[in-house]
Amino acid sequence: MDRMKPLDPQWAWQTFAPSNERPWNRALAAHLYRRAGFGASVEMLDEAVSREPAEMVRQLMAQNFEANEFRETADQLAQTILASGDAKKLSAAWVYRLLLTPTQLLEKATLFWHGHFATSAEKVNDAHMMWDQNRLLRQHALGSFPVLVQSIAQDPAMLIYLDSAINRKAHPNENFARELMELFCLGEGNYSERDVQELARCFTGWEVKNKAFRKNRYQHDTESKSILGSSGDYDGEDGVRVVLKQPFLELFLARKWYRFFISDEPEPSDELLQPLANVFREHDLQIAPALEMLLSSNLFFSEHAIGRKIKSPVELVVGTLRGLSGTANTQVVSSGLLQVGQGLFYPPNVKGWDGGRAWIDSSTLLGRANLIGKILDDDVTRFSGQKLTDYLGDRGITTALEAIEYFEQCLFALPLDDSTKSRLSDTFSVTAAEPERQLRSLLHACSSLPQYQLG
Amino acid sequence: MSHSANSNRRRFLRSSIGGAAAIGVGSVIPDCLVRAVASEGNRDERILVVVQLSGGNDGLNTVVPYADDAYRAARPKLAIPTSDVLKCDDDVGFHPSLSGMHDLLANGQLTVVRGVGYDQPNRSHFESMDIWHTCRRKDESRPDGWIGRFLDTQTNDSGGDVAALHLGREQQPFAIASEKIRVPTMKEMSEFQLQGRDRQSLRSLLNANVATEPNPLAKNASEPNDLLDFLQSSTTSALAASQRVTEAAGSYASDTRYPDTELGQKLRIVAQLIDAGLTTRVYYVQLDGFDTHAQQPATHAILLRQWSDAISTLVRDLDTHGHADRVCVMTFSEFGRRVAENASEGTDHGTAGPMFLCGRGVKAGIFGNRTSLTDLHDGDLKHEIDFRQVYASVLKNWLDTEPLPILGGDYKTLPLFS
Amino acid sequence: MNTPRSLLLPLRAFLLAVVLSGGLLRADSPRLADCSSSELLPQTVVAFAEASHIAQAIETLLDHPLRQRIESLPAYDEVAKSGSLEQFQLGVTAFEASMGKPWQEAIKTLTDGGVTVAADSSSQGIAILIKSSDVDMLQRLRGFLLALRQMGQGKLSAVEQGDYRGFTAYALSKELKLAILDHWLLITNKSDLGKSIIDQYLDRKNESLHSSETFSIARNERDAQASDPAFVSAYVDVATIRSSGAAKALSNEKIDNPVVEVLLGGVLANLRNTSFVTAALQADITGVQLKLSSPHKRDWEPPREYFFGETQHAAAPSLLEVEDRLFAISAHRDLSQMWLRSGDLLSDKANDGIAKADTQLSTFFSGRDFGEDILGALESDVQIVGKAQDFSEVLPRPAIKLPAFALQFQMKTPDETTSELRRVFQSFIGFLNVVGAMNGQPQLDLGMETLGDAKLVTATYVPSRDQRDSMDAPINFNFSPSIAFAGKRIIFSSTTQLARELVSEPEVSDSGNVVSERATRNTDILFNANTLKQVLDDNQSQLVANNMLEKGHDKQAAEAEIGLLLELVGMFKDATFQLDVSDDELLLDVRLHVDGE
């Protein structure tokens, strides 16, 4: 795997400055939108190109809360859906947000945290709790990591998912304590079994009653605990604070961000990640400064990042639609996502989605193609409210080849070679008889190509 | 019959090689061929089909101790008349619905394990099922299931066939949950094929694309893109697998007639996938409705018939296709039912019950002693064999895997396989 | 008619040629111009439909007050602007240009002799016959249709044509042929059928559909019944269709779906035996009505006595009346008998399902046999009613507001059954509570109340502390399952309120008082569209949210679409479905009423 020659960490994290060799263009702007969000129309790309890359990143970062109007609509939608009590439908309400939110980075970060603090409705079995957790993740997605962790530690859905709804001092439940260190903050090997047992004692008395978090003071172990080298008569919040102080934390998260925002493989070295980790720590574990550095870096805009990730199902489907200002039946999208391995509110286990090559097997590859095919086959699917023919027609595109080149700009991370293009346009030529169907078939074919699975 | 699938497959491979050689492409093709050819070797790997009878199957009326007076005493209304029992020996026989299973036994393709259960039995459907699925009790951490842990021990190339498959519309069984891999649930056969009006053109486009596409970055970029190679070879093998499945399905119809029940149709798909040479090791199906608290006889007879007909058809079918010696079909239920019938011609939640293993690899017969109907624990049968002993035997003697880390304890294997 | 045919043929061909070439002469034939279409069709026709007042129907449609309401909808403008109607309007313009008249007038003239559609069993073909007093208009129509065909092909190619006995047939498509026989325009997809019609037109043999025995019986019956002339009247020769094996459903004794069996089992049994069905469709400003009737014999009823009545035809009870009624169903059905005889009525697959359900239900009903003990305790009068619920003064208020519904039966032995079912109901609620508790659902609180002579056992969902004043409570809060006993009546209701409303209605006395009109009424169904609109209105925010999710619409677009849906529903008044069975006839009457104001 380690064929990549070591990268210079200093170069890697410097702010990217466009040059003649690497100009700031539609391709780089599309890359930024794909990773810091889900995708953008050609018009949005042109708007981005008219600014500096760093300015664009700052603008994305500044959208760390949703505009009132959209938030109200989307929240109200979710609330209405909750009346039916069905978490599967709630997942459709999230798809609605993913497709239409003006604050893409916030939504992408929310999705990241959903995978990080993985909680599945399959087990929690309560749509309200899942929705509350989702709001919590969105609220802190680009905020303070310590606040996020403290809130998650008292989140009913999380506690139920980790079998920690009851936690008596006679039988401290180690599950949450273990995952807090292993999966949420430090990574395996950076704590001992003894730390798990001691930390678990901090959370005794924390329980979920009537679907709400509460502290049962009669069940809290008030004795002194000794965790990761420090000791005191800690309660749960103190325990979290001790974990957050550990120096492994910033590197652990930097690595996860690298895999989520930059590249699936090869595995980055600690040296490479250290500057990013340092910024995270220096800013008191505020998320935004670290992500801003990551997204405006040389490394992010380099060939080590572009096309170096396998798109998750959400990135694939939402990206395809957003690239063409598309809207679709969100229930078809959400149930399809579940089928190909990324059900929103249904991560496979406590570790969340592994990502990378794990997205792909013989069933998901066909499933991805079939899902996009199903969405495009649906007359409800519209592009800026129009048929695809009219959407492209308004942009002066009528032939298959023109359409392929248009898709290449707003959808593909890597350029298509000429032979692929000509095979595509030969197979899916656009004739007068059924232009809409043919254009949609062409888009379906493009999005089924192996190279399109790279983002 | 097994030849046809093999030869189809070789033909497919040959044409890919031929096509690629003609165009003279470099690095991509060998990789996917290696993968495809390697998976061909997996045709010899043994397969486990798990059939879950949900609701708690009444074991006593399935494998009937017809000669035991205590049986008739406990079941004045529900006891199967001796004349109706399909006799296996002087002691026990099968429910009259189980003619298919009875034939399997006679043909040496069925072993019945009697009196299977566990200590301190739990009578809740959910909890007992979780115990069977995870081999752990409620107060232990249960992130995955026993089959999931088995799958984790297998070397799994990502990009290939799925390691296990659950067929059905129900919630995915906990038994196949893994911390490492995702096991898909398939509702219809069509999920294994490209869909849509343009699937033909799309298929040929993707095949052509993979065969001729030079890595676009290879020419001018300093770093090759391993992920792209991976995606291209995965696409090839996905299309090949789908092709095999389609061809197998197409040439299948006339051979064996499966019962027109949901279970029958699911097992028909399982047979097709196995015959198509998928490297999938475990298939999982469920049959629900065994919670017969009232008016048991008619319902139980229907369910047992559906189960027996479907399983025996599958085993027969696998036999004609030459797979019966590498497929084992294992049936279990979360608990048996109480020995005594209740007042509404039904039975309530009980404890131990029989398990069934079918296929050419099993050591046929009725295994385990007759469970006593008089030496009871609180009106329930005492189990003689822990279900994890059966799992251990399946893991060690059938799937060639060390059971200890999977089951979380050292369970003595049983001589269930020949 | 006396002119030797050998002489006539060339003459006719000549005249026809003149006409076709835009000539001034008109083929004015004295032959069967004034016969009816049934006289032209062969006896092997199995389905025949005749529309005789098309002009009037168009007028009714165009003058209907609803038309203005639809056109005044904002959505109508949008559709009109969007160009979706463009092609339609283009077609109308072309039609009017070809006909030389506004389309209403053109159709009026074209169809003043009626339009007939017939399906023939021997040729497996379909024929359309249009009769007009104006031959010129028929020819213009032919020109229009042929032009359409050429447009469809995208090229101007010669129209294929062929002659048969002096008439020219033109190919409208690969299969469809068109010919004009003086005042008749004939379109068919089978040449053999076309030829036989031309033969009959020229030769006028005695054997035609008109002279067929079942057809004339059917026609006489239809004429005897019809109060007003029907807009469309139709006839289907069920016996021939059955014997040809074309319709499988008609030959299968047993069906798969128990719900279909309960609703329509008797109708299907009739279709398996009867010789023909006639239909009449009428339309006026208040709505449309479809009447289907078919000969019936009591011999055909076994094993469906549960449906028709054991010793004599039994009548359905009257429809239950409640405030804000959404629907009401009344029928005569001996459900216990149906359940126990399901082996004779339903397919093996369905019976497997019934057997499993029997086990489940007997468990629910604490071990009582569902078919024998529970259903068997009830008379065969089934009354079901649904109503919109008013939550304006109720808390917690469910976010999704469902209608309430209730079933009413008469008990055979009230004293015994009352205490029996009360106990069953109580343990059923207990069972729901146990299952509910496992799934985190709210719990039900049992209550008893007495209302006059009636006794109610009620169950109410207990809201958790923070739910008490909720305005978007879970769906459970639509229900307060209750059972009520009043004299012979037993009521199973989804809400206590509806149970109370029903028991406070006076008990209808026994069958002696059944109104004569209802004496043959087997099944009676009413559906109220106004209440449906009310229910949809109450759930508007849910509908909008679903629309946003399902169509990806923004809120505005979703609200507009749901608004339109509600408008459209508001244009209907109600729908009724009535099945009458007498010793010799089965009559199905379906009506749809629109809001004419």
Side-chain angles (χ1 to χ4, degrees):
Chain A
M1 274 310 175
D2 206 2
R3 266 179 296 165
M4 197 164 93
K5 58 176 179 284
L7 291 167
D8 173 10
Q10 210 197 334
W11 166 86
W13 302 111
Q14 264 167 5
T15 303
F16 165 66
S19 62
N20 286 341
E21 280 164 37
R22 218 162 175 72
W24 173 236
N25 55 16
R26 275 184 187 173
L28 285 192
H31 169 68
L32 175 62
Y33 266 114
R34 257 195 308 278
R35 296 290 175 81
F38 300 92
S41 64
V42 166
E43 289 75 22
M44 282 174 76
L45 296 181
D46 285 343
E47 209 273 335
V49 170
S50 72
R51 301 155 187 260
E52 289 295 303
E55 186 193 344
M56 268 311 293
V57 173
R58 268 197 303 280
Q59 188 189 317
L60 285 167
M61 297 302 311
Q63 298 168 344
N64 59 358
F65 58 89
E66 290 177 306
N68 282 338
E69 198 184 347
F70 182 77
R71 190 186 61 229
E72 272 167 27
T73 308
D75 281 1
Q76 202 185 1
L77 185 63
Q79 287 291 357
T80 318
I81 292 313
L82 284 177
S84 70
D86 183 353
K88 297 238 160 77
K89 268 195 163 178
L90 188 65
S91 154
W94 194 358
V95 169
Y96 186 86
R97 235 186 178 109
L98 292 170
L99 284 176
L100 293 167
T101 181
T103 52
Q104 289 205 46
L105 176 57
L106 181 66
E107 218 48 45
K108 190 74 172 261
T110 308
L111 182 60
F112 170 82
W113 293 119
H114 177 43
H116 187 81
F117 297 110
T119 308
S120 171
E122 192 84 57
K123 180 159 175 183
V124 176
N125 208 3
D126 185 297
H128 278 92
M129 284 189 207
M130 294 308 295
W131 166 238
D132 287 343
Q133 187 191 70
N134 186 247
R135 276 200 305 191
L136 185 154
L137 295 177
R138 188 170 293 107
Q139 186 188 348
H140 302 294
L142 296 172
S144 153
F145 185 69
V147 176
L148 179 55
V149 178
Q150 292 285 11
S151 321
I152 273 291
Q154 303 189 359
D155 177 60
M158 171 61 80
L159 295 184
I160 289 177
Y161 185 62
L162 291 183
D163 304 306
S164 303
I166 299 171
N167 203 353
R168 302 203 177 93
K169 62 182 165 194
H171 301 282
N173 188 322
E174 295 177 6
N175 218 353
F176 179 74
R178 178 185 305 282
E179 305 308 8
L180 177 67
M181 293 191 283
E182 181 185 333
L183 298 176
F184 303 161
C185 294
L186 305 178
E188 207 174 354
N190 293 326
Y191 58 92
S192 69
E193 280 306 303
R194 173 98 186 127
D195 292 324
V196 173
Q197 290 157 14
E198 292 288 293
L199 182 59
R201 290 174 53 218
C202 302
F203 296 115
T204 46
W206 285 25
E207 54 188 40
V208 178
K209 262 277 136 59
N210 279 330
K211 304 185 175 183
F213 174 80
R214 78 165 184 197
K215 294 178 186 170
N216 180 344
R217 63 182 182 281
Y218 302 109
Q219 285 302 337
H220 181 63
D221 179 345
T222 52
E223 303 289 307
S224 171
K225 295 107 187 166
S226 168
I227 314 159
L228 296 159
S230 54
S231 50
D233 50 352
Y234 299 138
D235 63 9
E237 281 97 339
D238 298 329
V240 171
R241 272 191 285 273
V242 170
V243 172
L244 289 170
K245 278 206 202 101
Q246 297 306 305
F248 313 107
L249 180 137
E250 52 268 30
L251 208 53
F252 177 70
L253 275 144
R255 188 173 294 277
K256 266 200 118 165
W257 284 327
Y258 180 95
R259 281 209 60 193
F260 190 80
F261 288 105
I262 295 182
S263 147
D264 285 340
E265 51 191 53
E267 197 64 32
S269 65
D270 287 356
E271 293 73 43
L272 179 60
L273 295 173
Q274 201 60 54
L276 180 63
N278 291 345
V279 165
F280 186 39
R281 178 62 75 186
E282 283 155 18
H283 286 86
D284 298 325
L285 305 183
Q286 292 292 315
I287 297 156
L291 284 193
E292 181 170 347
M293 168 162 154
L294 184 156
L295 292 172
S296 44
S297 68
N298 276 330
L299 181 58
F300 179 79
F301 286 106
S302 77
E303 66 188 34
H304 303 290
I306 296 171
R308 295 290 172 156
K309 273 182 64 62
I310 293 178
K311 285 174 182 163
S312 72
V314 168
E315 289 170 329
L316 178 79
V317 174
V318 175
T320 306
L321 287 164
R322 286 203 77 130
L324 299 164
S325 315
T327 49
N329 182 335
T330 57
Q331 283 169 359
V332 169
V333 174
S334 66
S335 63
L337 289 173
L338 183 62
Q339 190 65 37
V340 296
Q342 200 183 16
L344 295 168
F345 298 113
Y346 293 88
N349 53 50
V350 278
K351 281 177 16 210
W353 294 283
D354 282 341
R357 297 186 186 219
W359 291 126
I360 302 300
D361 62 39
S362 58
S363 97
T364 55
L365 261 181
L366 297 185
R368 286 158 83 108
N370 288 340
L371 174 56
I372 297 223
K374 187 173 177 187
I375 291 167
L376 290 174
D377 212 23
D378 189 344
D379 194 43
V380 160
T381 304
R382 293 282 153 144
F383 304 87
S384 194
Q386 298 170 291
K387 290 187 194 170
L388 188 56
T389 339
D390 297 336
Y391 180 82
L392 293 176
D394 287 354
R395 286 151 183 82
I397 286 147
T398 50
T399 69
L401 204 57
E402 286 166 351
I404 293 163
E405 277 167 0
Y406 190 82
F407 296 153
E408 191 180 13
Q409 297 203 336
C410 55
L411 299 177
F412 278 83
L414 301 176
L416 287 169
D417 63 300
D418 292 342
S419 66
T420 305
K421 284 188 203 169
S422 64
R423 242 195 331 273
L424 276 168
S425 67
D426 291 348
T427 319
F428 299 92
S429 58
V430 180
T431 62
E434 289 177 293
E436 180 67 16
R437 194 174 86 70
Q438 283 155 334
L439 271 177
R440 286 185 182 218
S441 289
L442 176 63
L443 178 55
H444 180 208
C446 287
S447 61
S448 305
L449 290 171
Q451 46 271 62
Y452 187 68
Q453 313 309 311
L454 291 176
Chain B
M1 282 315 289
S2 65
H3 297 299
S4 75
N6 259 333
S7 59
N8 277 338
R9 189 178 168 138
R10 291 203 193 91
R11 208 169 336 119
F12 175 79
L13 288 177
R14 255 201 315 275
S15 65
S16 304
I17 299 168
I23 301 158
V25 186
S27 67
V28 183
I29 289 304
D31 188 24
C32 77
L33 280 183
V34 166
R35 183 185 300 276
V37 169
S39 63
E40 178 119 14
N42 287 344
R43 267 182 83 75
D44 298 332
E45 281 208 298
R46 285 171 173 170
I47 291 169
L48 178 66
V49 179
V50 181
V51 181
Q52 170 181 316
L53 308 181
S54 310
N57 176 37
D58 182 11
L60 276 182
N61 272 13
T62 310
V63 180
V64 184
Y66 68 93
D68 193 337
D69 292 338
Y71 169 64
R72 272 163 225 293
R75 302 239 165 140
K77 283 187 177 155
L78 296 189
I80 312 284
T82 303
S83 55
D84 292 355
V85 171
L86 305 173
K87 295 173 188 68
C88 303
D89 55 31
D90 293 341
D91 265 346
V92 294
F94 287 166
H95 185 284
S97 287
L98 302 185
S99 55
M101 293 309 241
H102 200 245
D103 292 348
L104 285 185
L105 186 68
N107 294 337
Q109 290 177 302
L110 165 66
T111 180
V112 180
V113 190
R114 284 197 279 184
V116 187
Y118 54 91
D119 284 337
Q120 297 164 15
N122 191 301
R123 283 180 191 75
S124 147
H125 292 292
F126 313 105
E127 181 49 27
S128 190
M129 193 59 97
D130 281 354
I131 291 170
W132 277 81
H133 281 169
T134 62
C135 305
R136 295 195 174 131
R137 306 294 297 217
K138 194 171 193 158
D139 49 3
E140 299 169 86
S141 168
R142 297 196 288 209
D144 50 16
W146 75 279
I147 296 174
R149 292 194 289 276
F150 159 69
L151 298 172
D152 289 349
T153 65
Q154 304 297 300
T155 43
N156 262 310
D157 268 355
S158 45
D161 292 337
V162 294
L165 187 63
H166 166 233
L167 288 97
R169 297 180 179 277
E170 317 89 349
Q171 188 179 342
Q172 199 170 73
F174 205 167
I176 52 176
S178 144
E179 288 206 280
K180 290 196 183 149
I181 59 161
R182 188 188 75 94
V183 176
T185 287
M186 189 174 91
K187 298 191 187 74
E188 290 157 33
M189 188 74 172
S190 60
E191 288 166 34
F192 256 96
Q193 284 136 14
L194 275 180
Q195 303 294 310
R197 282 170 293 201
D198 291 309
R199 59 182 174 276
Q200 290 306 341
S201 356
L202 188 55
R203 169 181 288 279
S204 53
L205 174 89
L206 290 178
N207 271 326
N209 184 63
V210 170
T212 61
E213 181 74 21
N215 187 332
L217 291 188
K219 285 173 289 185
N220 41 20
S222 54
E223 306 287 348
N225 195 330
D226 291 340
L227 288 177
L228 185 56
D229 293 348
F230 163 76
L231 283 165
Q232 286 172 331
S233 65
S234 301
T235 306
T236 312
S237 58
L239 289 172
S242 147
Q243 183 86 15
R244 276 179 277 141
V245 170
T246 312
E247 281 170 6
S251 63
Y252 224 80
S254 58
D255 291 322
T256 305
R257 201 177 149 68
Y258 279 79
D260 183 24
T261 58
E262 217 171 297
L263 184 65
Q265 294 311 307
K266 281 183 204 166
L267 292 182
R268 180 169 184 267
I269 294 177
V270 168
Q272 289 173 2
L273 298 180
I274 289 173
D275 194 55
L278 247 57
T279 59
T280 304
R281 297 294 301 279
V282 180
Y283 296 90
Y284 204 110
V285 296
Q286 303 174 41
L287 177 63
D288 201 351
F290 285 87
D291 196 16
T292 46
H293 286 282
Q295 306 291 327
Q296 175 174 306
T299 300
H300 198 231
I302 290 167
L303 289 167
L304 287 181
R305 192 183 68 223
Q306 291 182 351
W307 168 69
S308 164
D309 288 358
I311 303 278
S312 53
T313 309
L314 172 71
V315 174
R316 263 202 327 274
D317 190 22
L318 291 171
D319 217 0
T320 54
H321 287 79
H323 302 304
D325 51 355
R326 64 182 197 103
V327 180
C328 171
V329 185
M330 182 185 92
T331 303
F332 79 99
S333 187
E334 73 265 36
F335 41 59
R337 307 192 78 81
R338 294 182 82 88
V339 174
E341 66 188 31
N342 65 23
S344 40
E345 290 177 45
T347 50
D348 299 324
H349 300 181
T351 52
M355 282 179 78
F356 304 84
L357 299 167
C358 309
R360 280 226 170 273
V362 305
K363 188 181 265 174
I366 312 273
F367 188 88
N369 298 317
R370 197 170 94 190
T371 331
S372 168
L373 299 185
T374 44
D375 177 20
L376 301 177
H377 182 271
D378 198 14
D380 276 321
L381 298 173
K382 289 180 178 167
H383 77 273
E384 189 166 306
I385 293 166
D386 191 289
F387 69 96
R388 282 157 292 202
Q389 288 183 266
V390 180
Y391 287 179
S393 316
V394 169
L395 287 166
K396 191 171 179 78
N397 300 329
W398 186 250
L399 298 172
D400 290 325
T401 304
E402 178 52 40
L404 181 78
I406 293 172
L407 303 178
D410 193 5
Y411 293 92
K412 202 167 157 270
T413 59
L414 309 166
L416 302 177
F417 295 95
S418 50
Chain C
M1 289 300 283
N2 295 332
T3 326
R5 202 176 301 133
S6 55
L7 283 179
L8 231 159
L9 272 176
L11 176 66
R12 190 180 303 118
F14 168 75
L15 287 175
L16 212 65
V18 173
V19 169
L20 284 180
S21 56
L24 305 162
L25 283 171
R26 196 179 275 181
D28 208 352
S29 165
R31 288 174 322 259
L32 279 180
D34 55 348
C35 68
S36 75
S37 57
S38 60
E39 288 171 89
L40 291 180
L41 290 163
Q43 262 188 335
T44 49
V45 160
V46 288
F48 170 93
E50 191 176 25
S52 38
H53 304 279
I54 292 178
Q56 198 187 326
I58 289 174
E59 244 165 64
T60 310
L61 210 62
L62 290 181
D63 295 344
H64 204 280
L66 275 186
R67 185 177 166 218
Q68 271 152 16
R69 257 175 75 184
I70 291 172
E71 284 176 1
S72 67
L73 292 177
Y76 180 86
D77 276 351
E78 265 170 48
V79 173
K81 263 187 253 159
S82 73
S84 316
L85 292 178
E86 215 169 88
Q87 211 147 17
F88 174 73
Q89 274 153 354
L90 226 80
V92 171
T93 314
F95 180 71
E96 290 183 337
S98 314
M99 295 297 137
K101 281 184 188 178
W103 65 271
Q104 299 95 320
E105 276 182 48
I107 287 183
K108 191 173 179 174
T109 321
L110 272 173
T111 62
D112 58 4
V115 176
T116 301
V117 181
D120 176 49
S121 63
S122 82
S123 61
Q124 301 282 311
I126 307 267
I128 301 171
L129 282 163
I130 300 172
K131 188 181 184 189
S132 172
S133 58
D134 189 337
V135 178
D136 174 49
M137 288 296 277
L138 285 180
Q139 282 162 359
R140 282 169 182 266
L141 177 62
R142 176 181 60 197
F144 175 70
L145 292 173
L146 291 174
L148 269 190
R149 168 194 168 270
Q150 289 191 323
M151 269 168 60
Q153 285 185 334
K155 57 177 187 241
L156 283 172
S157 56
V159 176
E160 277 180 57
Q161 56 184 72
D163 285 344
Y164 179 70
R165 296 186 67 179
F167 294 108
T168 309
Y170 300 85
L172 272 183
S173 72
K174 239 186 181 159
E175 266 138 28
L176 287 184
K177 307 277 190 310
L178 174 153
I180 290 183
L181 326 174
D182 305 324
H183 286 276
W184 295 92
L185 182 128
L186 164 68
I187 298 175
T188 179
N189 62 344
K190 286 277 155 52
S191 309
D192 286 347
L193 181 56
K195 284 176 186 168
S196 88
I197 291 171
I198 294 177
D199 288 343
Q200 179 64 18
Y201 181 73
L202 294 173
D203 308 343
R204 199 166 189 196
K205 290 190 199 132
N206 286 329
E207 290 218 332
S208 70
L209 177 65
H210 193 75
S211 63
S212 121
E213 193 180 345
T214 44
F215 182 76
S216 22
I217 298 173
R219 201 185 45 223
N220 290 341
E221 283 194 6
R222 183 200 70 198
D223 291 347
Q225 262 177 17
S227 41
D228 296 316
F231 161 52
V232 178
S233 58
Y235 152 87
V236 180
D237 178 354
V238 185
T240 310
I241 293 180
R242 221 169 31 228
S243 63
S244 76
K248 259 207 175 133
L250 292 182
S251 46
N252 268 359
E253 270 300 325
K254 299 174 176 181
I255 50 178
D256 268 339
N257 188 334
V259 178
V260 173
E261 172 61 45
V262 171
L263 271 177
L264 295 173
V267 176
L268 294 173
N270 173 275
L271 287 179
R272 281 192 283 271
N273 292 287
T274 196
S275 50
F276 64 85
V277 173
T278 62
L281 181 75
Q282 274 164 332
D284 62 20
I285 194 159
T286 64
V288 290
Q289 175 187 23
L290 175 69
K291 269 187 177 173
L292 296 166
S293 86
S294 118
H296 184 71
K297 282 203 182 115
R298 297 229 57 187
D299 294 352
W300 303 339
E301 292 174 5
R304 287 185 171 72
E305 290 86 352
Y306 89 91
F307 190 99
F308 294 102
E310 188 79 55
T311 48
Q312 56 180 17
H313 280 142
S318 54
L319 291 174
L320 289 172
E321 303 262 2
V322 290
E323 220 176 294
D324 294 328
R325 181 166 69 177
L326 176 64
F327 68 89
I329 303 173
S330 287
H332 169 87
R333 296 290 185 275
D334 185 343
L335 295 178
S336 171
Q337 195 185 122
M338 189 260 166
W339 193 260
L340 297 171
R341 285 196 86 158
S342 67
D344 299 337
L345 307 169
L346 298 170
S347 68
D348 288 351
K349 209 172 173 179
N351 270 304
D352 281 4
I354 293 265
K356 282 193 214 171
D358 200 52
T359 298
Q360 285 290 337
L361 287 165
S362 296
T363 305
F364 283 150
F365 288 106
S366 325
R368 309 294 302 172
D369 184 81
F370 182 69
E372 195 82 62
D373 300 337
I374 306 294
L375 293 178
L378 309 170
E379 301 273 12
S380 312
D381 293 348
V382 186
Q383 290 169 292
I384 308 176
V385 69
K387 65 173 289 178
Q389 296 199 68
D390 179 10
F391 286 100
S392 53
E393 311 212 329
V394 179
L395 285 176
R397 185 173 306 161
I400 299 173
K401 298 167 192 71
L402 299 176
F405 52 88
L407 274 86
Q408 176 172 301
F409 294 93
Q410 310 287 321
M411 292 175 280
K412 287 177 184 159
T413 46
D415 293 345
E416 226 171 88
T417 308
T418 300
S419 64
E420 174 88 39
L421 284 183
R422 190 169 53 214
R423 250 179 299 119
V424 165
F425 181 75
Q426 286 166 342
S427 44
F428 177 63
I429 295 298
F431 176 83
L432 284 185
N433 272 343
V434 172
V435 175
M438 285 195 280
N439 296 314
Q441 299 292 324
Q443 295 285 292
L444 286 158
D445 196 18
L446 269 175
M448 304 271 217
E449 62 183 71
T450 306
L451 216 70
D453 294 338
K455 295 234 179 324
L456 282 77
V457 188
T458 64
T460 316
Y461 275 107
V462 186
S464 62
R465 207 171 308 158
D466 56 334
Q467 264 174 349
R468 277 176 205 159
D469 303 319
S470 169
M471 307 280 277
D472 50 5
I475 204 156
N476 308 53
F477 289 93
N478 281 286
F479 303 103
S480 45
S482 299
I483 187 167
F485 307 92
K488 284 195 72 181
R489 286 185 292 162
I490 177 169
I491 293 156
F492 304 93
S493 174
S494 76
T495 70
T496 308
Q497 196 274 336
L498 178 55
R500 286 189 196 124
E501 192 175 344
L502 286 171
V503 293
S504 44
E505 288 285 315
E507 187 160 0
V508 182
S509 56
D510 281 306
S511 51
N513 274 3
V514 170
V515 196
S516 61
E517 184 206 329
R518 300 192 58 88
T520 56
R521 183 69 39 84
N522 172 280
T523 308
D524 204 348
I525 301 177
L526 169 107
F527 201 85
N528 189 330
N530 287 333
T531 318
L532 175 64
K533 179 163 188 295
Q534 190 183 326
V535 172
L536 294 177
D537 268 335
D538 288 344
N539 289 293
Q540 199 162 5
S541 62
Q542 287 290 332
L543 295 171
V544 167
N546 265 326
N547 184 281
M548 287 166 76
L549 291 182
E550 277 167 18
K551 303 217 166 158
H553 279 160
D554 61 26
K555 202 172 174 192
Q556 240 181 336
E559 279 170 348
E561 204 165 293
I562 296 304
L564 177 64
L565 170 78
L566 291 174
E567 284 279 354
L568 290 176
V569 170
M571 292 178 182
F572 293 94
K573 213 160 159 185
D574 59 32
T576 61
F577 171 104
Q578 292 167 341
L579 176 69
D580 282 84
V581 185
S582 65
D583 284 352
D584 56 1
E585 189 188 31
L586 189 138
L587 186 70
L588 195 65
D589 182 324
V590 185
R591 296 178 206 209
L592 180 67
H593 292 123
V594 295
D595 193 349
E597 285 138 46

